[in-house]
């Protein structure tokens, strides 16, 4: 029993987030407990750390680089990524570089500098690295990629909690909340919880119609645009 590994028991305050027209974002509370063999923290061992990673569904992204030619900004080089996460937020009890080495960070994708973006281009490594940094920076500006060191609170070495902000521009889909227990540079335990982020109300109806009945949705959209244009012209003539 003394050599048995601890177990994580995680949970999240909301397993489902509904996005309506008035959605301005949401705060998720990720919390849980560390269950040690014997029911107590082993004496004489260094305190363990917690890292929480919330990921959105992966997506294919085409990134273009602008270049000024004769005073005009034009598209220059480009890079495509097969499986970049649409949302990524990591919170930890201490800076991740103080917890694990580069290899472990890459294996578990702990931190923005360890994301596996899967580029499809055959560009030189330095070009791919430049585009990768650009993609991460763009996502950070949009609030979709976040790294929060020291944002996880651990109480009595057993209970932990962290808050993750979901921005208003978040994509919909199945999200995962991964929790990692780390001590002495090793991942001792990991656990995952799913989070569904979906549209609700009229937004959900429109999204479903566009996904399931593309032709009808397109025809209705065109007819609605023509009708609104005609109505606007009629009102302008009357005035």
């Amino acid at each position: 029993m003394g050599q048995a590994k601890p177990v994580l028991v995680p949970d999240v305050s909301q397993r489902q987030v509904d996005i309506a027209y008035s959605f301005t974002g949401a705060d998720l509370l990720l919390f849980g407990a560390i269950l040690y063999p014997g029911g107590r923290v082993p004496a004489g061992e260094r305190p363990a750390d917690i890292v929480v990673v919330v990921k959105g569904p992966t997506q294919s992204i085409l990134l273009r680089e602008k270049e000024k030619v004769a005073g005009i900004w034009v598209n220059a080089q480009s890079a495509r990524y097969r499986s970049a996460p649409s949302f990524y937020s990591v919170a930890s009890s201490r800076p991740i570089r103080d917890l694990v080495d580069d290899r472990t960070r890459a294996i578990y994708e702990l931190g923005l500098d360890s994301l596996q973006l899967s580029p499809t281009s055959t560009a030189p490594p330095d070009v791919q690295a430049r585009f990768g940094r650009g993609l991460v920076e763009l996502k950070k500006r949009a609030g979709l990629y976040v790294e929060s060191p020291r944002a996880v609170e651990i109480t009595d070495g057993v209970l932990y909690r962290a808050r993750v902000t979901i921005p208003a521009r978040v994509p919909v889909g199945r999200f995962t909340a991964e929790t990692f227990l780390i001590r002495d540079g090793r991942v001792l335990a990991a656990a995952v919880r799913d989070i569904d982020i979906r549209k609700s109300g009229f937004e959900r109806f429109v999204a479903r119609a566009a996904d399931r009945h593309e032709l009808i949705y397109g025809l209705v959209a065109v007819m609605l645009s023509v009708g609104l244009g005609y109505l606007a012209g009629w009102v302008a003539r009357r005035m």
Side-chain angles (χ1 to χ4, degrees):
M1 289 294 292
Q3 296 179 353
K5 292 184 179 181
V7 177
L8 284 172
V9 183
D11 207 348
V12 61
S13 57
Q14 289 179 256
R15 295 289 185 90
Q16 180 176 301
V17 177
D18 292 328
I19 298 179
Y21 72 94
S22 58
F23 182 73
T24 58
D27 284 332
L28 295 181
L29 176 64
L30 292 92
F31 58 95
I34 308 169
L35 301 184
Y36 289 96
R40 57 184 177 182
V41 181
E45 292 190 357
R46 295 179 58 184
D49 288 281
I50 290 288
V51 177
V52 176
V53 178
V54 178
K55 284 183 185 179
T58 58
Q59 57 185 193
S60 176
I61 295 178
L62 176 62
L63 197 65
R64 299 184 186 276
E65 188 176 53
K66 295 289 186 179
E67 187 175 284
K68 201 169 187 179
V69 178
I72 301 176
W73 288 100
V74 297
N75 291 327
Q77 289 183 300
S78 64
R80 182 178 293 277
Y81 297 90
R82 284 192 302 268
S83 57
S86 55
F87 177 83
Y88 179 93
S89 179
V90 56
S92 54
S93 53
R94 288 193 293 149
I96 297 176
R97 285 192 171 274
D98 296 342
L99 304 181
V100 291
D101 57 21
D102 293 347
R103 180 175 177 273
T104 304
R105 288 203 311 274
I107 291 173
Y108 294 99
E109 293 189 274
L110 301 179
L112 294 176
D113 59 346
S114 301
L115 287 177
Q116 306 300 314
L117 300 175
S118 301
T120 61
S121 66
T122 57
D126 60 328
V127 175
Q128 293 187 14
R130 186 176 79 247
F131 272 92
R133 291 192 297 269
L135 173 60
V136 170
E137 184 61 31
L138 288 174
K139 291 286 190 178
K140 286 173 63 177
R141 292 179 189 175
L144 296 174
Y145 281 10
V146 181
E147 188 167 353
S148 305
R150 305 187 189 280
V152 178
E153 301 176 17
I154 303 177
T155 305
D156 297 329
V158 175
L159 304 177
Y160 69 88
R161 56 182 289 168
R163 290 191 179 275
V164 173
T165 299
I166 303 297
R169 296 176 58 185
V170 69
V172 298
R174 175 65 58 86
F175 283 55
T176 59
E178 301 174 279
T179 305
F180 301 92
L181 178 66
I182 298 174
R183 186 173 61 222
D184 296 329
R186 296 187 301 117
V187 176
L188 300 181
V192 181
R193 289 291 180 269
D194 292 332
I195 305 169
D196 286 320
I197 297 183
R198 64 177 191 175
K199 294 182 181 293
S200 64
F202 182 69
E203 285 79 7
R204 186 180 183 187
F205 168 76
V206 172
R208 280 190 169 185
D211 184 55
R212 299 180 179 180
H213 309 287
E214 298 92 340
L215 180 59
I216 298 177
Y217 175 82
L219 291 174
V220 171
V222 171
M223 292 174 61
L224 184 60
S225 299
V226 172
L228 290 176
Y230 177 80
L231 179 61
W234 180 83
V235 171
R237 288 195 299 271
R238 289 288 181 176
M239 295 179 61

